[in-house]
């Protein structure tokens, strides 16, 4: 069977709730491999909720549909405060990336408490800002940034990540609306260990199955290299 945009592969999927330190309940889901323990975990931080971003934003949803089965990776997705999806609406209201620090902390606390191994942050657009600003937790193995705008997260956040020392990979679309590969190389120079990967032909929203496959393969190459490249049939 060919893996298509709508393919959902076997996994154990569970609805979860995250409790933030400032008293909110966030809704989410964890997908883990069906018959073996995961080797690593993606903690997904979605795009801007005021522009339609949520835990079901398509690249993150497809990661949860495929990577537990194809790469033995657990995928934790959740709605940040005030964000709604089919799973439900998280309590609170959008706070421009500031109060969301507690949302990131709650997701990492959940991963730690439930023994989800080797957590990597995967942020997309607004989610990359949350990763850079609030993701420097000792349990985090690294971060993968999809379409980073570098607006809310600035030079001091990049320098702090450089000092944090964990891997940082930025996947930057050739035709991004906010930050393109050449400028990204210059901006991410503040992080000595950063790797900027320009993706030819791609746009900010990674529309199209070829670009989704590129993103998922780049993630797997860092998080579980033994499973790369991902198969296109099952």
């Amino acid at each position: 069977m060919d893996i298509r945009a709508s393919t959902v592969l076997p996994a154990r999927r569970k609805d979860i709730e995250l409790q933030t330190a400032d008293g909110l309940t966030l809704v989410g889901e964890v997908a883990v491999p069906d018959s073996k323990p995961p080797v690593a975990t993606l903690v997904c931080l979605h795009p801007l909720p005021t522009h339609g971003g949520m835990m079901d934003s398509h690249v993150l949803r497809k990661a949860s549909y495929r990577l537990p089965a194809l790469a033995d990776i657990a995928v934790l997705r959740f709605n940040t405060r005030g964000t709604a999806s089919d799973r439900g609406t998280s309590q609170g209201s959008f706070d421009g990336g500031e109060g969301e620090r507690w949302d990131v902390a709650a997701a990492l606390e959940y991963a730690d408490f439930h023994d989800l191994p080797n957590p990597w942050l995967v942020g997309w657009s607004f989610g990359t800002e949350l990763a850079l600003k609030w993701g420097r937790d000792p349990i985090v193995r690294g971060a993968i940034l999809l379409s980073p705008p570098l607006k809310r997260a600035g030079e001091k956040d990049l320098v702090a990540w450089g000092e944090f020392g964990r891997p940082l990979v930025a996947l930057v679309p050739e035709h991004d609306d906010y930050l393109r590969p050449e400028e990204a190389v210059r901006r991410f120079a503040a992080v000595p260990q950063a790797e900027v990967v320009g993706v030819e032909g791609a746009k900010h929203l990674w529309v199209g199955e070829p670009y989704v496959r590129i993103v998922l393969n780049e993630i797997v190459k860092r998080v579980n290299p033994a499973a790369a490249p991902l198969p296109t049939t099952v």
Side-chain angles (χ1 to χ4, degrees):
M1 178 183 76
D2 291 336
I3 296 172
R4 302 181 182 276
S6 59
T7 300
V8 182
L9 298 176
R12 286 181 286 130
R13 297 182 168 87
K14 182 172 79 167
D15 289 343
I16 62 171
E17 292 184 344
L18 309 178
Q19 306 300 323
T20 70
D22 61 342
L24 301 180
T25 298
L26 313 179
V27 299
E29 180 202 84
V30 171
V32 300
D34 199 29
S35 58
K36 61 177 74 171
V39 300
T41 304
L42 306 183
V43 176
C44 299
L45 305 173
H46 60 69
L48 194 63
T50 55
H51 289 66
M54 57 179 169
M55 62 179 276
D56 283 336
S57 293
H58 77 103
V59 174
L60 307 182
R61 185 179 70 247
K62 290 168 185 172
S64 76
Y65 285 175
R66 302 180 197 180
L67 297 188
L70 298 181
D72 298 328
I73 293 172
V75 180
L76 189 162
R77 298 178 295 137
F78 69 100
N79 287 330
T80 57
R81 56 190 58 209
T83 302
S85 69
D86 287 345
R87 168 69 182 89
T89 302
S90 290
Q91 291 180 349
S93 57
F94 175 68
D95 195 37
E98 294 303 313
E100 286 82 359
R101 69 186 301 169
W102 307 117
D103 304 353
V104 176
L108 292 173
E109 181 179 29
Y110 183 96
D112 190 29
F113 185 79
H114 290 85
D115 297 321
L116 295 172
N118 300 317
W120 282 70
L121 297 171
V122 174
W124 181 4
S125 193
F126 173 68
T128 70
E129 315 272 47
L130 300 185
L132 287 169
K133 289 171 69 68
W134 312 124
R136 300 186 303 274
D137 185 285
I139 72 167
V140 168
R141 301 293 181 167
I144 299 169
L145 311 180
L146 315 179
S147 307
L150 292 184
K151 291 183 176 293
R152 291 173 175 85
E155 185 77 10
K156 68 179 180 62
D157 301 300
L158 294 171
V159 169
W161 192 281
E163 294 170 350
F164 182 47
R166 303 295 199 277
L168 186 69
V169 181
L171 303 183
V172 182
E174 179 186 12
H175 303 300
D176 196 272
D177 299 319
Y178 305 103
L179 183 73
R180 296 189 175 185
E182 184 176 354
E183 184 186 357
V185 169
R186 180 179 63 80
R187 297 282 303 275
F188 279 100
V191 184
Q193 72 273 27
E195 179 185 1
V196 175
V197 179
V199 180
E200 184 177 353
K203 297 182 180 180
H204 189 76
L205 297 180
W206 304 98
V207 174
E209 181 63 17
Y211 298 112
V212 172
R213 292 188 184 209
I214 289 170
V215 168
L216 297 184
N217 267 302
E218 293 292 337
I219 290 171
V220 170
K221 281 198 296 187
R222 276 72 183 187
V223 175
N224 183 14
L230 293 171
T232 57
T233 61
V234 290

